[in-house]
Amino acid sequence: MQKSPATLKAIAEQLRVSVSTVSRALNDHPRISEKTKSRVKELAEKLHYVPNPAALLLKKNKTYTIGVLLPFLKEEFFSLAISAIEDTLMPEDYHVLISQSRDSLEREKKMIESFIASRVDGLIASVSAETNHYGHFKALEEYGIPVVFFDRVPRNIKCHKVRNSVTQGAKEAMRFLVNKGVTKIGLINGPGNLEVSGERLNGYLEAAMEFGIDARQHYIKSGNLTREETEQCMMELLALEDRPQAVLTFNDYVALYAMSACRKAGVEPNKDILFVSFANLPITSFLENPPIASVEQFASKMGAQAANLLLKCLQNQESELDYQEIIIKTELIIH
Amino acid sequence: MQKSPATLKAIAEQLRVSVSTVSRALNDHPRISEKTKSRVKELAEKLHYVPNPAALLLKKNKTYTIGVLLPFLKEEFFSLAISAIEDTLMPEDYHVLISQSRDSLEREKKMIESFIASRVDGLIASVSAETNHYGHFKALEEYGIPVVFFDRVPRNIKCHKVRNSVTQGAKEAMRFLVNKGVTKIGLINGPGNLEVSGERLNGYLEAAMEFGIDARQHYIKSGNLTREETEQCMMELLALEDRPQAVLTFNDYVALYAMSACRKAGVEPNKDILFVSFANLPITSFLENPPIASVEQFASKMGAQAANLLLKCLQNQESELDYQEIIIKTELIIH
DNA sequence: CTGTTAGCGCTTTCAG
DNA sequence: CTGAAAGCGCTAACAG
């Protein structure tokens, strides 16, 4: 009980050698005899020796811990990304510290303080719906902690980014609808401070122009991604005289909220009004009546790429200066 | 750039006092003058001083980090529980390390090794669907790391547990169906090594006995919770000559898998065959046709209770011996 | 090939 | 009221 973990000292004493010999043996130092090495390793194994991370941090200034900061774990997009991040980082012997901002800027700041306190080696982040400035992230970089953003990346800021070709995805979604003969298309977008909202809007507008359909201002709504605001947006669209025949939504959750608002209003989703969304989450496969198409964002791939980019930053610090931007192609999936 | 975090030494030098004075001032040691304290605290604040956790661990043998090990982040039940755990632990200045076993025993063991390596102060766990022995958890206790299990708790093992009154919940669900005039009820259960499966079965059998309905062996299926096995179970039930009129499922996900299997087979869920499940996850609110009732398990409450119990263990080590068992009442929610 | 020593940042006796 | 010094576990420069 309360048997504390084995230390180098304990091994050294039992073997009647010095602590440094043990340390070197375990690190496969070239100038240690094979015989000593095997004796040491054997005993270490037997004692279940695991190096004390605190001592390592103290010496090397490295915790082998990566922070991941994202809005909501419960959103499948993010939990898929997390799994990919884990799978990429764990083989490299990194631990992963996960935190949720829950789309609150204040929480996001708190979590970053906590990451600094625990001395993470790097951070992978997707910003909250409220985030409109990035000073708290800059603080990390001042401490030499590299940050890689994914999906919800900051707007107009030089930083490492892994993001989707959202504009193009939005255009494809629009083309799909136009080809179906739909000309009145609404947009329920995310908050304007997110670059990904801007890109959806751009895709929407470019497509409208290109296909010569009417992108009337009142067809464009933006909410904070909550159920409440989304239902509100949908109600406003439904109340219009020239009600849209289809709606493009920020993501699958927003689509689900909007569709449930329709049902409450006696409007049949995908019959009276078509839905196309972003993300294409597995969750939608449970629905009898999912959005008719979805712009796949490849959450796992994004997570893996973000983790790989961070690993690269961690390996050669010089690369801190030229920020990388990785763009994952989206793909329109028709259900 | 690469500005390393402030240390006690840096503060001491600037203030021309000793390191120990700074340490004591920050810890509100009674024998330090108010004046010194305020000078120190002011500078510490200005320099954004945050104690180096490594040094603390080395001295106090405490990382202020709690591990959380559970099957899948993407299951809403667990992500709800996590949020509650975070909310309970973070005000107490604990960090939360999350890992997923993905229902694999091997991964579960690996993750526990990793928790030991990072010297977590305690662990909150919900075991994998494959877990049939608990040696890897016992290893933690040998290091003096307390473990609290929640929801999926070990069977026949003395340990701290936070679980639901599952047997009773299953009985209520059965009563609900019987009152609807249903007498042929199937059960798609989880793997037998989980205590929670045993309890569901007990509830099912007790209810069958009590209400005088036929609990025929071939109405009882158990799978490993994956989509594949669940669909298999459902197919078997559908293939029976005296096909059940209703099915009780291990949880909402299993219900969704089973319902989609029904649709594939041309059977209309909740019309041709009724579904009642466990968990009552928010996700089901998106469905046009969710299970007609669900045994609410109060994920958040379970998470919070587990975290509180762990905090208690961490505070007084003596309590290691008498294991606590906390039971959260379930509640049948009719949709 | 191996031992000695210093030091990472912090707390905590022991001495003033 | 404050300082000096030891030590937590480990690595690495310096000496043999």
Side-chain angles (χ1 to χ4, degrees), chain A residues 18 20-21 24 31-33 36 58-59:
Chain A
S18 75
S20 32
T21 300
R24 284 191 273 244
R31 296 193 313 197
I32 295 284
S33 71
T36 312
L58 228 41
K59 283 308 274 193

Side-chain angles (χ1 to χ4, degrees), chain B residues 18 20-21 24 31 33 36 58-59:
Chain B
S18 73
S20 28
T21 300
R24 283 190 274 244
R31 294 193 315 197
S33 71
T36 311
L58 228 42
K59 283 308 271 192

Side-chain angles (χ1 to χ4, degrees), chain A residues 217-231:
Chain A
Q217 194 53 47
H218 60 243
Y219 279 172
I220 302 174
K221 301 287 175 192
S222 77
N224 65 356
L225 310 181
T226 61
R227 181 161 208 153
E228 294 67 37
E229 285 207 7
T230 302
E231 294 193 343

Side-chain angles (χ1 to χ4, degrees), chain A residues 243-263:
Chain A
R243 173 202 284 183
Q245 304 155 291
V247 177
L248 181 60
T249 62
F250 182 86
N251 67 23
D252 283 332
Y253 290 95
V254 170
L256 296 178
Y257 298 147
M259 287 161 71
S260 93
C262 283
R263 275 186 222 107

